[in-house]
């Protein structure tokens, strides 16, 4: 059996970021994922915000890693083509208690090193977002908050990691662990995997993996967040992210534009015993509509494109759990909540330093390939169907298959030629936006399915 230097469990955005970081050194790295795609669990269903970290609890690891991650990921997005829009955000106070909380939030932002937040009056709030409902008393602007394409972020990390030589094992669930004096063997649903060091980035299953190593440091609760996605015609209503004044329960319901041109309302916050339940609920959608009617009544007059739910890995701790056990040669990344997308690269950087201190030999590779370029999916950027030059060179980029989202045959073809091709239609959607628009595949679904079948050899 081959012996790897490092085995990473979990190919979400954090696990892929860690794989990319460690693959910059002369290490044999294997990335193990139970699902059939990277970023197919918590990482695929979030609010897709690139956070400044202004509202993190000062002194926590999260408060340190989110701003650093913001800087790293912003730069990486420029290098790779990940769609990012610096929209800015405004927190809206709807009552006297929320208004009174704003100075404390600004002080928290300053304590976290963010000095651009500004408390503003009612008139400025409505000038910033004219479609807000009546009754706002004031607010706080956070100009650095941005929106990002979360799917391409995870894929870019994974593509870079593969280009640097990692071994990716999809559809491979870790079922048990056998730790020896020099090696740890992961018994999986596929072949066994032997590694000198193990990194637990299992997200919703992080506490289960932690227990296999004999630890009981935290327990994960699946916190379901339901969201409603409105049609692109609603985008002018939400020029900025509209944030609530946060509570102890979480950041509450927001209204946010997306890089894909839609507007999101959500999320709810509900703890579930089932870590696989990503269904939406009648009560959850009704709650969002009620809150949305207060925040922005005109938004509810727009067409709803879809709704979805994501699960966050909540724990009883108010911070990330990042720990390295040098004796076991085992690292744990737990409780990485909604800010994990923003902090992913800094989490990987921080873990690298901890592993270095714990004895993992880190010798930089003499050559690293340049960062990959991912397909442009954001509406604020030129997409293939808009490029005369690209179409002249390859007519497939002028043949639109999904008319709602303007996805071409060339983009679908490219998705299957990528380092990690989609294994199902959901994976194809995340790589191209096909079938994600107004008709939700009613018009293009048959043709997209046919092209998928041709590419995968599953056509009848």
């Amino acid at each position: 059996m081959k012996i790897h230097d490092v085995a990473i469990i979990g190919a979400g955005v954090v696990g892929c970021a860690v794989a990319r970081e460690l693959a910059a050194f002369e290490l044999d790295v294997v990335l193990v994922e139970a699902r059939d795609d990277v970023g197919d669990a918590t990482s695929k269903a979030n609010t897709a915000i690139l956070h400044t970290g202004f509202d993190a609890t000062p002194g926590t690891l999260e408060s340190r890693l989110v701003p650093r991650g913001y800087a790293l990921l912003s730069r990486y997005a420029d290098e790779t083509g990940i769609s990012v829009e610096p929209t800015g955000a405004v927190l809206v106070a709807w009552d006297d208690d929320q208004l009174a909380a704003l100075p404390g939030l600004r002080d928290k932002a300053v304590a976290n090193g963010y000095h651009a937040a500004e408390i503003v009056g009612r008139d400025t709030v409505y000038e910033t977002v004219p479609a807000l409902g009546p009754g706002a008393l004031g607010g706080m602007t956070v100009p650095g908050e941005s929106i990002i394409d979360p799917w391409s972020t995870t894929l870019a990390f994974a593509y870079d990691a593969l280009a640097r030589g990692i071994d990716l094992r999809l559809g491979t669930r870790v079922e048990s662990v056998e730790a020896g004096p020099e090696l740890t063997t992961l018994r999986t649903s596929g072949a066994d995997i032997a590694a000198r060091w193990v990194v637990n980035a299992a997200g919703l299953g992080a506490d289960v993996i932690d227990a296999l190593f004999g630890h009981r440091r935290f327990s994960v609760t699946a916190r379901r967040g339901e969201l409603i996605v409105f049609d692109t015609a609603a985008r002018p209503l939400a020029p900025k992210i509209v944030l609530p004044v946060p509570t102890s329960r979480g950041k509450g319901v927001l209204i946010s534009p997306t890089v894909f041109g839609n507007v999101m309302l959500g999320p709810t916050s509900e703890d579930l015993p089932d870590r696989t339940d990503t269904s939406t609920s009648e009560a959850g959608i009704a709650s969002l509509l009620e809150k949305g009617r207060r925040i922005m009544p005109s938004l509810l007059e727009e067409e709803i494109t879809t709704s979805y739910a994501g699960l966050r890995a909540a724990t009883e701790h108010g911070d990330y759990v990042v720990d390295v056990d040098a004796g076991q040669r085992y690292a744990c990344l737990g409780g990485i909540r909604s800010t994990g997308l923003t902090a992913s690269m800094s989490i990987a950087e921080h873990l690298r330093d901890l592993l270095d201190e714990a004895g993992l030999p880190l010798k930089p590779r003499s050559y690293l390939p340049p960062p990959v370029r991912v397909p442009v999916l954001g509406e604020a950027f030129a997409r293939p169907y808009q490029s005369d030059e690209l179409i002249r060179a390859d007519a497939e980029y002028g043949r639109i298959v999904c008319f709602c989202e303007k996805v071409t045959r060339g983009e679908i073809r490219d998705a299957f030629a990528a380092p990690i091709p989609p294994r199902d239609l959901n994976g194809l959607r995340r790589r191209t936006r096909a079938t994600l628009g107004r008709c939700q595949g009613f018009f293009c679904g048959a043709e997209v399915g046919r092209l998928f079948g041709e590419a995968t050899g599953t056509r009848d």
Side-chain angles (χ1 to χ4, degrees):
M1 181 176 14
K2 180 179 180 179
I3 298 173
H4 302 274
D5 293 311
V6 183
I8 302 165
I9 304 171
V13 69
V14 172
C16 288
V18 170
R20 174 188 172 277
E21 180 66 33
L22 294 183
F25 301 90
E26 292 187 1
L27 297 170
D28 187 306
V29 178
V30 58
L31 178 60
V32 187
E33 170 55 47
R35 293 177 178 258
D36 287 333
D37 200 1
V38 300
D40 193 35
T42 299
S43 299
K44 73 179 179 184
N46 55 52
T47 51
I49 294 175
L50 187 59
H51 295 283
T52 58
F54 78 95
D55 59 346
T57 301
T60 60
L61 182 61
E62 182 180 24
S63 71
R64 179 157 60 92
L65 295 185
V66 171
R68 173 64 177 164
Y70 177 95
L72 291 172
L73 186 49
S74 296
R75 185 162 59 246
Y76 184 71
D78 285 340
E79 295 172 344
T80 58
I82 297 167
S83 297
V84 174
E85 287 186 54
T87 59
V90 57
L91 280 81
V92 180
W94 296 98
D95 58 39
D96 291 334
D97 288 341
Q98 293 177 4
L99 191 65
L102 293 179
L105 288 170
R106 182 188 55 192
D107 292 345
K108 179 184 284 189
V110 171
N112 287 324
Y114 187 80
H115 298 273
E118 180 183 0
I119 295 176
V120 296
R122 175 189 180 281
D123 290 346
T124 301
V125 168
Y126 282 103
E127 288 170 6
T128 303
V129 186
L132 284 174
L137 302 181
M140 187 174 80
T141 57
V142 189
E145 295 283 290
S146 303
I147 54 177
I148 188 171
D149 171 3
W151 304 327
S152 297
T153 302
T154 305
L155 285 167
F157 291 157
Y159 293 166
D160 265 350
L162 284 171
R164 293 175 175 187
I166 75 153
D167 180 8
L168 175 63
R169 307 278 184 94
L170 296 173
T172 304
R173 181 177 297 277
V174 174
E175 297 174 340
S176 64
V177 169
E178 291 184 12
E182 301 294 334
L183 298 174
T184 295
T185 301
L186 306 179
R187 307 293 184 191
T188 79
S189 55
D192 291 347
I193 296 171
R196 296 181 176 89
W197 292 75
V198 175
V199 175
N200 172 8
L204 287 163
D207 59 339
V208 176
I209 299 298
D210 206 39
L212 293 179
F213 282 87
H215 299 282
R216 295 290 189 276
R217 287 177 283 201
F218 59 95
S219 58
V220 171
T221 299
R223 184 161 293 163
R224 180 169 64 181
E226 300 175 58
L227 297 105
I228 298 173
V229 180
F230 289 86
D231 186 76
T232 53
R235 177 63 188 266
L237 298 174
K240 296 187 180 296
I241 305 163
V242 179
L243 298 171
V245 176
T247 68
S248 58
R249 177 68 177 175
K251 296 184 178 179
V253 172
L254 57 84
I255 290 175
S256 177
T258 77
V259 295
F260 311 119
N262 303 97
V263 176
M264 289 193 306
L265 170 66
T268 58
S269 181
E270 179 186 8
D271 291 347
L272 300 177
D274 184 352
R275 300 187 187 193
T276 64
D277 185 0
T278 57
S279 61
T280 55
S281 66
E282 183 177 352
I285 297 301
S287 173
L288 288 179
L289 292 174
E290 179 184 359
K291 291 179 171 65
R293 191 170 289 110
R294 166 75 185 279
I295 302 168
M296 190 177 288
S298 55
L299 180 62
L300 272 62
E301 298 173 6
E302 301 293 332
E303 295 290 335
I304 292 175
T305 298
T306 190
S307 60
Y308 68 94
L311 298 176
R312 290 158 280 176
T315 73
E316 64 273 37
H317 301 292
D319 198 3
Y320 300 161
V321 178
V322 178
D323 184 68
V324 174
D325 185 321
Q328 288 185 302
R329 302 174 311 284
Y330 164 67
C332 180
L333 302 171
I336 311 297
R337 298 166 299 179
S338 59
T339 53
L341 169 61
T342 301
S344 53
M345 295 185 78
S346 58
I347 291 171
E349 184 183 70
H350 178 61
L351 179 65
R352 175 204 67 198
D353 292 343
L354 293 179
L355 289 170
D356 185 25
E357 293 172 6
L360 176 66
L362 295 179
K363 181 181 179 182
R365 293 189 186 277
S366 58
Y367 169 77
L368 289 177
V372 299
R373 296 288 299 182
V374 292
V376 175
L377 299 186
E379 281 296 287
F381 308 89
R383 295 181 56 212
Y385 79 93
Q386 298 170 308
S387 172
D388 292 340
E389 181 181 356
L390 198 59
I391 293 168
R392 280 195 297 269
D394 187 340
E396 291 294 272
Y397 292 118
R399 298 191 172 105
I400 294 177
V401 177
C402 172
F403 283 85
C404 295
E405 297 296 282
K406 306 297 190 296
V407 181
T408 66
R409 287 176 181 268
E411 291 169 280
I412 291 175
R413 176 203 61 204
D414 292 349
F416 288 102
I420 308 172
R423 294 191 180 187
D424 58 25
L425 287 172
N426 285 326
L428 182 60
R429 292 183 185 106
R430 291 193 295 274
R431 287 161 174 80
T432 65
R433 289 175 49 180
T435 75
L436 287 175
R438 293 174 181 175
C439 80
Q440 290 289 285
F442 182 82
F443 179 79
C444 66
E447 179 64 6
V448 171
R450 186 185 70 79
L451 293 173
F452 178 88
E454 281 185 356
T456 59
T458 58
R459 187 175 58 173
D460 292 338

